[in-house]
Amino acid sequence: EQAADLRLPVVLIGPMGSGKSRVGKQLAKRLGLPFVDTDNVVSGEHGAIARIFERHGEAHFRALERAAVAAALEQPAIVSLGGGAVLDEDTQRELADARVVLLTVTEEAVLARANLDKRPLLRDDPGAWSRIAAARRPVYERLADVTFDTSHRPISGIVDELVAWV
Ligand code: S3P
């Protein structure tokens, strides 16, 4: 199968547990393109995200994340961002030159699904998910070119629609 000809990176954004990594991985495979998960880049280079938060604080994590996002957007690829990456203004500017897919999810679906231990912002306070998601929603919506809710449907159907959209 031939790799799709992408001129701009396709970037998945959305709250924690919305399915960005799963959708991104499957989409990249279907299109024959590289997949980059910026959380994995950061943890591959600097260790577990929860540990980075504990040892160095959130601001340090955000700086590492900003660098990983900038590098990921340099080539045509499918890129999934950590939920908070879009708060960075440099990242927001860079996303103007990308095709941005917003994934949304309900609180019930995400709490049933998400691996809370890996997510320092939720670990001690699962109720934080709704507050954080609501606070970020305007930013997500402003950046998005297309939106899918992943709560009540299989990932494969969303990937099919994205293959057509790309
Ligand atoms: C975060 C989301 C996480 C990870 C970090 C912070 C956030 O990524 O980057 O724990 O601020 O929403 P996921 O969206 O993949 O969970």
Side-chain angles (χ1 to χ4, degrees):
E1 211 178 313
Q2 219 190 329
D5 178 19
L6 268 201
R7 275 173 213 96
L8 298 176
V10 172
V11 183
L12 295 139
I13 65 170
M16 288 179 269
S18 57
K20 301 181 293 289
S21 302
R22 287 175 306 141
V23 169
K25 196 180 285 178
Q26 288 193 27
L27 180 63
K29 200 168 168 191
R30 287 274 298 275
L31 296 173
L33 290 166
F35 171 62
V36 183
D37 178 325
T38 61
D39 282 336
N40 288 345
V41 172
V42 172
S43 58
E45 291 175 359
H46 304 281
I49 291 173
R51 217 174 119 98
I52 299 173
F53 268 69
E54 273 158 30
R55 292 200 150 188
H56 305 287
E58 179 169 350
H60 181 74
F61 170 74
R62 295 300 172 196
L64 300 175
E65 179 176 54
R66 179 187 312 121
V69 172
L73 295 181
E74 276 170 17
Q75 62 276 306
I78 309 300
V79 180
S80 73
L81 303 190
V86 296
L87 299 179
D88 182 82
E89 289 185 4
D90 291 336
T91 295
Q92 291 179 11
R93 270 190 292 276
E94 292 181 40
L95 290 182
D97 293 319
R99 307 188 71 193
V100 181
V101 179
L102 169 60
L103 299 183
T104 60
V105 64
T106 62
E107 181 181 23
E108 306 90 272
V110 82
L111 293 181
R113 170 196 293 175
N115 182 345
L116 299 187
D117 288 347
K118 282 173 54 182
R119 291 178 163 96
L121 297 174
L122 302 184
R123 198 161 46 177
D124 303 322
D125 179 12
W129 186 88
S130 287
R131 293 198 301 277
I132 296 170
R136 293 174 179 170
R137 187 168 305 127
V139 179
Y140 290 139
E141 289 179 353
R142 179 162 58 75
L143 295 169
D145 295 311
V146 66
T147 302
F148 293 90
D149 189 84
T150 66
S151 308
H152 305 293
R153 50 184 302 203
I155 289 296
S156 58
I158 295 169
V159 173
D160 287 342
E161 288 187 35
L162 279 171
V163 168
W165 179 78
V166 161

